[in-house]
Amino acid sequence: MTAGLPIEARLDAIQAALAAHSRALLVAEPGAGKTTRVPLALLEAPWAREGRLLLLEPRRVAARLAAGFMAESLGESVGDTVGYRMRGESRVGPHTRLEVVTQGVLTRMLQEDPLLEGVAGILFDEFHERSLEADLGLALALDAQSVRDDLRLLVMSATLDVEALLGVLGEGTPVIDCPGRTFPVATRYRALNAREEAAPQQARALLDAMGQQAGDALVILPGVAEIRRLARELSNRSPELAVMELHGRLPLEAQRRALRPDPEGRRRVVLATAIAESSVTVDGVRLVMDAGQERVPVFQPRSGLTRLVTRRVNRASADQRRGRAGRQGPGLCLRLWAEEQPLVPHGEPEMRQADLAPLAFELARWGVTDPGSLAWVTPPPAAALSAGRELLGRLGLLDAEHHLSELGRRAARWPTHPRLAAMLERARALDALPLACALVALLEGRGLDDERDLEQALQARLKAPREHRQWQRDAERLARIAQVSLKVAGLAPLGELLALAYPERIAQRLDVPGRFRLASGGLATLPDHHPLAHAALLVAVELDGEASGARIFRAVGLSQKRMEVLYPECGEWRASLAWSDAEGRLIGEQVRGLGAVVLERRPLAKPPAEAVRAALIEALRRRGLPRDDVLTQLQGRVALLRRTFDSDEQAAWPDWSDEALLASLEAWLAPHLDGITRLDAVERLPLARLLLDTLDWPLRARLDELAPERLPVPSGASHRVDYAPCREGQPPVLAVKLQECFGWQASPRVAEGREAVLLHLLSPARRPLQVTADLASFWANGYPEVRKEMRGRYPKHPWPEYPTTAEATARTKRRDRS
């Protein structure tokens, strides 16, 4: 066992918490030893002796390393008492009692056995990363725990939003804090010149810092491309250094080498992605250079595409990175940005920026149609969930009520994205199942970035599988599930398979070579010299995520005949109407095709009312809701109540954000569009009243009580409350002359006193004097200065020395005396 770790002093408290409660939170700073000591200690708990423990890790490399370290500390091999399980790889045995699993594995285990028979407890490690799979795993585990009250849950992290988690786990959940074992870390800042290439500047900054700080260096960069550029620069400047890469695309042995001292005794520079931010400790590191950036996938519900965005790192992540320099001795953190550069406090949960099609599929497998019936730390955003369900419906995996279809039930056996699972399940009908297995292994594998031509990349792997070991293992694993041999007859069905997985990305060439219309309605482009620039139809497998004019990175050609076989609805004529901004009217015709891919057109005599409504709704989604102050105020009032009250009542108040309203136009607006053919007529509809009519009467009655439109003030007048800021999570605002507030002891409150109103106190000329949500503090501390300054400027208005006992008024002193 590892001695001397800070977590040792907290093990008894953790044991006691889980002996008395089924849930607990552990907030342990970096270096405390939580990942490897807590699971082994809990194996000795009476409640754990008859079952297994699951330890969830966010990354595969962290899972392997944690399992290896714990097994070694027991003097055993991995697969004895401690094992690990991840997609495509498992080392567990008949006596394994602690399984280190990646987050997706937990979801599959729960889906296959909702009661998790034989599992005594689940430990969620590094939960602060807030991955989509961790959030889903916790929600499903809590649901399972409602039936199995003997199942223990422990959520662990270096940083946790304790209040938010207690809202889900229960206010009585014990919270254990543990300090980390860290040494002093000096922090220096060195902003880069944006007009120069980054890699040479980074190399100079790093070498300068290494001249001042002993030990090895860890450099955290946003992606593999940046790592390779800096690696080349350092190799040219300082060939005596051992420059190593650490990222998820590397083979396991290369990852392990990066974590160990150099066998030749050279000084190391480890260039890593955010994989080194948590979980993994790189021995010997005393210098951390942080580029201050992260690269994250952000899903765009309107386009249905995901875009990789490089952005400034958040403060919590920057602090985590800094701490890596002080794990084993005093260190130095060099931050490549200006010290005054502001950072947001925390990162966004992946739930708010991810493609939710996999989540929607797992919810349907779990038997949940209303995500509000589960306990979420961050509920799924309505628009992204709707987009995910729309995709699953197009793939044939869900029915209209969001239940699994027959195809969906069969596709659940595949450990892959739902769109690829749908393709695998339908590939047998094309006599192309071996090719489908090879293709999925390629699409979900690593190392494809440098190969733009998908057909060539696949052909290279099929010809020399031993040169692509990981692809071979993944493809063979899928072939075993399919019960077929991995013998591919040819690549002819490749376009058809991809069309099954990406129906919304089937694209039709427009008049200009290289310019295509996607079936989803967006535009996409290829360079005019690309071999597929003149293709009539293609499937865009990878795009950059721009909603208009997306660049196609990988594509495969598709014949019209095969598309019509795959999608028989292409033979059906349908009315198509679209709003023309140029002409200011709806333009209609009859078409047949797939979505916006039109194979044939003919005139439309009279558009059906349903088609008119659909066209107007689509135009509104493209342009956004009309900005109407009455609607804005209503949205703010409901947003305030939705976030203020407990979970039961919160579920009752609807989500009326712009995003959610645009996603649900069919439900609340479409019934009122009969006879309307122009957008300006839609904009004149009383949208706020239409929304109010959808509220249950008890909620509608409580709305005015909890979030009144106007508030009385001590002067006897009443003033309008501005709830627009509540749409962004801010408090409501009341702008009122300061003299009208005399006599108020404290700030007014709404929502049964749970929310203070932000007062904008105005001068007699209605100019801002003070903004406060704590009126009592203002009277005591701010008012004397305001009084001193304003008495001479506005002598006709009262400025009493004691405002809490003075008479409020909206008038001048002269009018009061008359």
Side-chain angles (χ1 to χ4, degrees), residues 519-543:
S520 61
L523 296 176
T525 60
L526 277 173
D528 55 13
H529 57 78
H530 193 281
L532 290 173
H534 293 268
L537 291 170
L538 56 77
V539 184
V541 181
E542 186 178 331
L543 306 98

Side-chain angles (χ1 to χ4, degrees), residues 295-300 303-310 452 505 518 522-527 540-555:
R295 185 161 295 141
V296 293
V298 178
F299 181 63
Q300 300 165 315
S303 67
L305 304 177
T306 297
R307 183 183 184 188
L308 276 176
V309 174
T310 302
R452 290 298 183 200
R505 297 189 197 172
L518 298 167
L523 296 176
T525 60
L526 277 173
V541 181
E542 186 178 331
L543 306 98
D544 68 359
E546 294 289 348
S548 59
R551 291 178 300 161
I552 300 173
F553 292 121
R554 292 189 182 89

Side-chain angles (χ1 to χ4, degrees), residues 422-446:
M423 180 250 281
L424 284 163
E425 201 56 43
R426 297 181 63 184
R428 193 180 297 275
L430 301 177
D431 197 23
L433 195 46
L435 175 60
C437 294
L439 176 58
V440 170
L442 177 64
L443 293 174
E444 290 214 320
R446 301 182 174 116

